[in-house]
């Protein structure tokens, strides 16, 4: 579950509701490409915008159409009660891991966040991945909290923010975490622009947004960064404009536009108040589309 | 609606659900004290932790038991669809204003936030108050956005963060906003420790957490700051430890503990993962209780 490419698909929308038909196509596309796992209903999958019922329904669809590829699903919510309900439903649906971010409204204390993970760990039978993403949760994990959480036997991975994994400090950061945490805890890099650096620094898994739309492209990046140590320079430089767009506008809005422009989706999967990017950025994304599709098909 | 003391009550809980009986008592306590308006289901009222159905039920209770005191209710949610549903239900229940924060998961752009307010303004028949609270929404309003939003006829007030209203810059800040915004827009100070400064700087209304539990104490502070310009020095210095606790732990957790220790509530209204403060802070709050109750009764 916690190695290689973990691909995070969009959750397509039709009007106000998730579009099951299109979601099945995205999940099948990932399974066909041979990703190591699927991270359904992550931030990229709009989990925070769907009702609990919609989330459980899409979870069942992901598991049923993943052709045996392990599925992890995000169960974050501002209330522990809702997290537990989602965790129970997701396990019944057959997920192989739960991804949990400390989603907040009132800023949370370290003790409250520990209590959340402790409660969920106590109630779940599948591995738990800590989702550290201060950009959406506004909670900052300390290494001391990582250590405390790693004592919960259910906790098996951390989805790390990518920036501290960038070269040249990345390797040192990974080594520090390895020294602090039991070997059971698999380290995952997120923030696709940091994937190459994070994987080279020794991360076990890449939690990937671009891999949710272009799994073959992402697998190429993974292989180049890790297995053979070789990376095509043209390939890397072709990805630079994508990372620039991710940095400027958030990966969700960019991947949503790519999915629409490529014809994979009819509508941008951006529940209001989220909006499509302005015309100028849309043009940049359209220009990038053939380049990405060529690498996906290569 | 947008003048004097707008008191924000807690939403009492019994187990997982809001406690209607205790909520009625809190609302009646505010109406009896003669507050100018009631801000039900604000951040202090845990709106972000309740289901849409619970929020509408508590809204109806607030209006029905406010004895004619105008009620404003918070309709914030991460999805515009939910905001509109809440706004419609709240208006049907008889609220006199809607309070709206740009609650987010994906960080929002200025354009997305404007779009949210524009859509809600278009659908609502009662005044709309902009809820600017970066601590919970992680969105920072610019003055340019205030100006743009003030062009929506429904927008009638801004619940301002308190810190920029502190002396000596507070008066200048209020004058700047008055110059930028139409006179219809009433300025409200929040962050109770800044209330005295904000009111002296010329704010129209105080959106108050402490006033939701101790309305008479808050009305005394309001009068001293505004009407007669006199303030009892003992009174102000007695409040200092409360502001220190608010600063350190957030006003919700402190007022929740006061409500329990005073016997007004049986359980802390803190849905998990939120927790009661540690023992040491609880002791400080217990020590403060008789002082606050004496001023409330004075």
């Amino acid at each position: 579950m916690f190695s290689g490419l973990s691909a995070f698909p969009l959750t397509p929308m039709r009007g106000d509701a998730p579009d099951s038909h299109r979601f099945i196509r995205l999940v099948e596309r990932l399974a066909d490409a041979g990703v190591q796992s699927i991270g359904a209903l992550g931030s990229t999958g709009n989990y925070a915008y769907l009702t609990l019922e919609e989330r459980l329904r899409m979870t069942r669809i992901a598991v049923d159409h993943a052709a045996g590829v392990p599925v992890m699903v995000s169960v974050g919510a501002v209330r522990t009660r809702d997290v537990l309900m989602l965790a129970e439903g997701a396990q019944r649906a057959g997920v192989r891991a739960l991804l949990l971010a400390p989603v907040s409204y009132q800023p949370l204390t370290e003790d409250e966040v520990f209590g959340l993970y402790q409660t969920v760990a106590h109630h779940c039978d599948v591995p738990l991945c800590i989702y550290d993403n201060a950009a959406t949760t506004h909670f900052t994990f300390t290494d001391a909290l990582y250590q405390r959480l790693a004592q919960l036997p259910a906790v098996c991975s951390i989805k790390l923010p990518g920036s501290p994994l960038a070269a040249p400090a990345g390797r040192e950061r990974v080594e520090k975490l390895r020294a602090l945490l039991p070997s059971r805890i698999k380290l995952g890099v997120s923030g696709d622009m940091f994937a190459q650096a994070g994987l080279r620094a020794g991360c076990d898994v890449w939690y990937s947004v671009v891999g949710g739309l272009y799994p073959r492209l992402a697998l190429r990046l993974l292989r180049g960064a890790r297995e053979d140590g070789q990376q095509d320079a043209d390939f890397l430089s072709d990805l630079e404009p994508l990372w620039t767009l991710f940095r400027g506008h958030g990966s969700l809005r960019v991947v949503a536009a790519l999915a629409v422009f490529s014809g994979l989706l009819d509508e941008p999967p951006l529940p209001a108040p989220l909006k499509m990017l302005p015309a100028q950025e849309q043009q940049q994304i359209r220009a990038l589309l053939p380049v990405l599709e060529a690498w996906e098909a290569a």
Side-chain angles (χ1 to χ4, degrees), chain A:
Chain A
M1 177 75 229
F2 299 121
S3 69
L5 174 65
S6 186
F8 280 61
L10 294 160
T11 301
M13 303 291 287
R14 180 172 296 271
D16 260 356
D19 178 340
S20 309
H21 176 70
R22 299 273 171 190
F23 187 53
I24 290 169
R25 279 178 49 184
L26 289 189
V27 169
E28 287 176 345
R29 180 179 162 96
L30 300 181
D32 287 350
V35 303
Q36 280 70 46
S37 65
I38 293 173
L41 298 154
S43 295
T44 306
N46 281 337
Y47 76 93
Y49 297 87
L50 304 180
T51 67
L52 302 182
E53 294 69 26
E54 286 168 343
R55 290 169 69 174
L56 289 178
R57 184 158 57 81
M58 300 316 273
T59 299
R60 286 189 292 269
I61 287 175
V63 173
D64 290 349
H65 293 269
V69 176
V71 171
M72 174 165 76
V73 78
S74 177
V75 293
V78 292
R79 273 193 82 166
T80 303
R81 175 190 65 179
D82 295 343
V83 176
L84 291 175
M85 198 276 254
L86 288 161
E88 199 186 304
Q91 288 184 110
R92 261 205 310 270
V95 303
R96 298 275 288 280
L98 302 173
L99 180 62
L100 178 57
V103 181
S104 70
Y105 180 77
Q106 293 285 346
L108 297 174
T109 67
E110 197 156 307
D111 218 49
E112 288 169 339
V113 169
F114 180 77
L116 168 68
Y117 283 96
Q118 189 179 37
T119 303
V120 177
H122 183 74
H123 282 85
C124 75
D125 305 312
V126 296
L128 197 56
C129 177
I130 295 169
Y131 191 176
D132 179 352
N133 184 358
T136 55
T137 65
H138 311 285
F139 180 80
T140 301
F141 285 86
T142 61
D143 286 352
L145 181 57
Y146 280 163
Q147 277 193 293
R148 213 176 147 200
L149 289 168
Q151 290 167 26
L152 301 169
V155 172
C156 293
S157 180
I158 307 175
K159 184 175 182 299
L160 295 163
S163 156
L165 302 173
R171 190 171 295 273
E172 207 177 303
R173 176 71 186 138
V174 169
E175 278 164 16
K176 188 180 173 197
L177 289 170
R178 297 274 185 222
L180 285 174
L181 304 171
S183 61
R184 175 185 97 249
I185 308 291
K186 302 303 173 198
L187 300 179
V189 57
S190 63
D192 287 343
M193 62 286 262
F194 302 110
Q196 157 104 343
L199 292 164
R200 291 226 158 133
C203 284
D204 303 287
V205 49
W206 171 20
Y207 296 117
S208 175
V209 175
V210 73
L213 195 65
Y214 295 122
R216 290 182 164 88
L217 177 155
L219 285 166
R220 171 184 293 264
L221 186 78
L222 177 80
R223 273 194 310 274
R226 275 240 306 242
E227 285 159 33
D228 57 18
Q230 296 292 316
Q231 200 74 274
D232 186 318
D234 286 346
F235 175 57
L236 289 184
S237 79
D238 277 355
L239 293 176
E240 278 307 320
L242 183 63
W243 308 151
T244 304
L245 284 161
F246 276 20
R247 277 195 186 88
H249 308 285
S251 55
L252 171 63
R253 291 180 188 82
V254 177
V255 172
L258 283 167
V260 171
F261 298 156
S262 71
L264 278 164
L265 302 186
D266 307 306
E267 301 180 20
L270 298 169
L274 302 182
K275 281 188 182 184
M276 269 289 261
L277 291 170
Q280 199 190 331
E281 283 77 14
Q282 289 191 29
Q283 246 179 317
Q284 292 168 19
I285 294 169
R286 277 185 198 277
L288 200 53
L289 187 69
V291 183
L292 298 176
E293 297 204 328
W295 284 114
E296 179 69 9

